[in-house]
Amino acid sequence: MTSRRRTSRMVKLRAAQYRTAGAPATASPTRPLRQLVNDFGIETVLLAAVDVQGRLKGKEFDAAGLVKRLESGRLAPEMCGYVIGTDLGMTAPATGSFSWESGFGDIGLLPDTRHARVLPWLPSTALVLADPVSKSWPHPLAPVTVLAEQQQRLAGLGLTAKVGVETEFVLYEGSARDAAAAGWRGLRPVTWDNRDYALDLPAPVREFTRRLRQVLAEAGLPVEAVKAEGAHGQLEVTFPYGPVTAACEQHLLFKHAARTVADEQGLTASFMAAPATGVGSGMHLHVSLHDVDDRPVLTSAPEDGTALSELGEQAVAGLLAVLPVLGPLWAPYVNSYKRFADHSFAPARLAWGRDNRSCAVRVVGHGRSLRLEVRLPGADANPYLALAAVLAGIRHGIEGGLKPPPATSGDAYLNRQAEPVPRSLSEAVAAFEASVLAGELLDEQVVAHLARVAHLDLDHHAARVTDAELERGLTQA
């Protein structure tokens, strides 16, 4: 599909049309910006877009002034386009759509002023999300657009996806400023042993989770549950199940809140996929499919069955075929691949199985709750891009009528018949750029753009000497 044809289809995918459609009953009652400012005494508005890394990027405005300027039409928000085309450290690329070569031009922003939201973790502050646009059309390279396109194509099959997100992260003593001053060494996790499912957590952890749940609930973004995980200082937050884009927005704001609350309490929340050797933090995506009448279609027995329908098997087969060539969407950094180790609870083989946590795709639940848990993305993934990859895989399997290999009933780490997960970002990017299928599913322009961003991360790490290299080579080489 050419960029022109693809963009013409995207007119239907304006932010205000697809971001909150079908929001679940647990979703916050967002309000028009003027009403929100008046009702809550809002003084500051963050006007923000989602960058490639899944972070809020934008500007801070005086609330009353922003309302007047937007309503009068005197403000047409813009930001430097490299926000959707740079790496974690905001490195300026040499070539590409947003680079020294292109002159770092601006992109327009379409603010969704009808659905502003209070951010209780910041004083008197509200958020207005805006989607990047190009000549009033959704920008084809923006993460929200990439996901919306996959939702639209799935809808063309008469299907809608819903998702529940589980995210692991590690909580450290001391602020990020303290860690930076110490050269990012000596970080101490807030727990010092395996506290998986423990309810006797140290006081700082209890206070952090209480405050985090409180501010998210006040924002209309309640978490389903919080639990301690197995690694030192590791926690997991589970979010309510619902529409795909609403789940992405919730995750985006959760990370913003978690970092803010941690900093308030002299702590640091890390969403690295592998913040320490032998530690892995994942983002597990629980995905279900529904027809136009909202009936679940992954199960062969909606009453209480645990078997997949034929369409469900096709979805699994598509995921196993597509996710290996879309690695940069669900594992975008050099560090992402250090999570995939044998018997680490991060999958090392592209296998699937029934209620099997050693698999990349775990079939779990029964009846209407039967779903596919995709365990490949790490906590560092942008949920908009990770879910775009998942929906692209599901669609490919259904459109092609694919059949999955036999389910793995035992230890998937020992299943040599299953393809291994890419071992590095360089390996994943090479497969991504060489894949004709990736270009067909995402558009070649999107593939080139995301590959360029991945190369920025590779270049950043290529010449850096690590602690591990010093440990092995300082006196031995």
Side-chain angles (χ1 to χ4, degrees):
M1 182 181 295
T2 66
S3 296
R4 184 180 299 274
R5 288 175 58 200
R6 180 178 188 276
T7 304
S8 68
R9 293 183 60 198
M10 300 289 291
V11 142
K12 301 177 182 178
L13 305 179
R14 294 289 189 98
Q17 293 175 325
Y18 63 73
R19 175 177 291 116
T20 56
T26 56
S28 166
T30 54
R31 306 186 189 188
L33 179 59
R34 173 175 283 280
Q35 182 182 349
L36 196 75
V37 169
N38 293 337
D39 290 350
F40 291 89
I42 297 299
E43 299 173 357
T44 302
V45 175
L46 306 183
L47 181 62
V50 182
D51 74 357
V52 181
Q53 287 72 36
R55 303 173 296 189
L56 291 174
K57 293 288 183 178
K59 296 180 181 180
E60 178 182 299
F61 290 86
D62 173 76
L66 179 63
V67 169
K68 290 179 182 178
R69 294 173 68 192
L70 286 173
E71 291 182 348
S72 68
R74 290 186 290 112
L75 177 65
E78 295 180 329
M79 67 167 57
C80 180
Y82 92 139
V83 166
I84 60 170
T86 189
D87 65 0
L88 274 173
M90 305 298 286
T91 304
T95 61
S97 301
F98 313 110
S99 63
W100 292 110
E101 178 186 59
S102 70
F104 292 107
D106 284 341
I107 55 173
L109 297 176
L110 178 65
D112 186 3
T113 57
R114 296 181 299 170
H115 300 96
R117 187 190 299 275
V118 175
L119 301 183
W121 52 92
L122 296 175
S124 303
T125 300
L127 172 73
V128 172
L129 281 175
D131 280 327
V133 293
S134 176
K135 298 179 181 178
S136 299
W137 302 65
H139 200 293
L141 301 183
V144 293
T145 308
V146 175
L147 175 60
E149 173 70 8
Q150 295 304 319
Q151 291 177 275
Q152 183 77 357
R153 294 187 187 185
L154 193 64
L157 302 178
L159 297 171
T160 301
K162 295 183 181 180
V163 65
V165 182
E166 297 172 346
T167 300
E168 299 164 341
F169 63 103
V170 175
L171 198 60
Y172 293 99
E173 296 177 355
S175 68
R177 179 182 293 273
D178 296 334
W184 306 106
R185 292 179 173 85
L187 288 169
R188 293 204 311 171
V190 292
T191 59
W192 50 89
D193 52 8
N194 187 333
R195 293 291 182 99
D196 200 12
Y197 288 97
L199 297 176
D200 56 343
L201 296 172
V205 182
R206 295 198 308 272
E207 177 57 23
F208 170 81
T209 59
R210 184 198 65 80
R211 174 67 175 156
L212 181 62
R213 287 186 290 103
Q214 178 188 57
V215 296
L216 288 172
E218 290 174 1
L221 302 167
V223 302
E224 189 172 275
V226 180
K227 68 176 283 288
E229 274 287 343
H232 297 181
Q234 192 175 48
L235 301 171
E236 180 186 75
V237 175
T238 304
F239 300 95
Y241 163 82
V244 167
T245 316
C248 290
E249 183 176 322
Q250 180 169 42
H251 188 271
L252 176 77
L253 297 180
F254 149 69
K255 288 180 70 174
H256 192 269
R259 289 195 173 106
T260 303
V261 171
D263 188 62
E264 286 177 352
Q265 299 182 0
L267 304 171
T268 299
S270 172
F271 292 88
M272 290 179 66
T277 301
V279 177
S281 291
M283 177 197 296
H284 303 151
L285 304 175
H286 290 254
V287 181
S288 64
L289 290 180
H290 302 258
D291 64 17
V292 292
D293 296 316
D294 199 34
R295 292 175 299 200
V297 297
L298 290 179
T299 175
S300 61
E303 299 77 22
D304 198 41
T306 59
L308 287 172
S309 63
E310 181 180 13
L311 186 144
E313 291 184 348
Q314 293 169 353
V316 168
L319 288 169
L320 297 181
V322 167
L323 290 179
V325 298
L326 299 187
L329 277 75
W330 47 264
Y333 313 121
V334 168
N335 179 262
S336 304
Y337 295 82
K338 297 180 180 181
R339 169 175 160 260
F340 302 117
D342 278 350
H343 300 101
S344 63
F345 286 100
R349 296 273 170 179
L350 288 151
W352 74 283
R354 170 72 196 173
D355 198 12
N356 188 338
R357 284 183 169 85
S358 66
C359 292
V361 179
R362 174 186 176 223
V363 180
V364 64
H366 51 84
R368 290 187 62 89
S369 72
L370 191 73
R371 59 198 183 275
L372 308 179
E373 181 190 11
V374 182
R375 297 175 60 83
L376 284 166
D380 57 353
N382 181 336
Y384 291 87
L385 295 178
L387 278 163
V390 167
L391 298 188
I394 288 173
R395 178 171 56 84
H396 175 68
I398 294 171
E399 289 178 337
L402 304 185
K403 298 292 184 183
T408 299
S409 58
D411 186 346
Y413 293 99
L414 303 179
N415 183 358
R416 302 302 181 218
Q417 302 303 311
E419 182 179 352
V421 172
R423 290 179 53 85
S424 66
L425 179 59
S426 58
E427 181 181 321
V429 173
F432 186 51
E433 292 181 299
S435 172
V436 174
L437 180 58
E440 292 174 349
L441 292 172
L442 299 178
D443 190 274
E444 292 180 2
Q445 182 185 12
V446 172
V447 171
H449 173 67
L450 294 179
R452 188 177 298 112
V453 172
H455 278 292
L456 290 175
D457 200 65
L458 286 168
D459 292 344
H460 174 81
H461 289 280
R464 291 183 176 265
V465 178
T466 67
D467 288 350
E469 290 171 301
L470 288 172
E471 180 183 346
R472 287 175 68 90
L474 189 65
T475 61
Q476 301 296 326

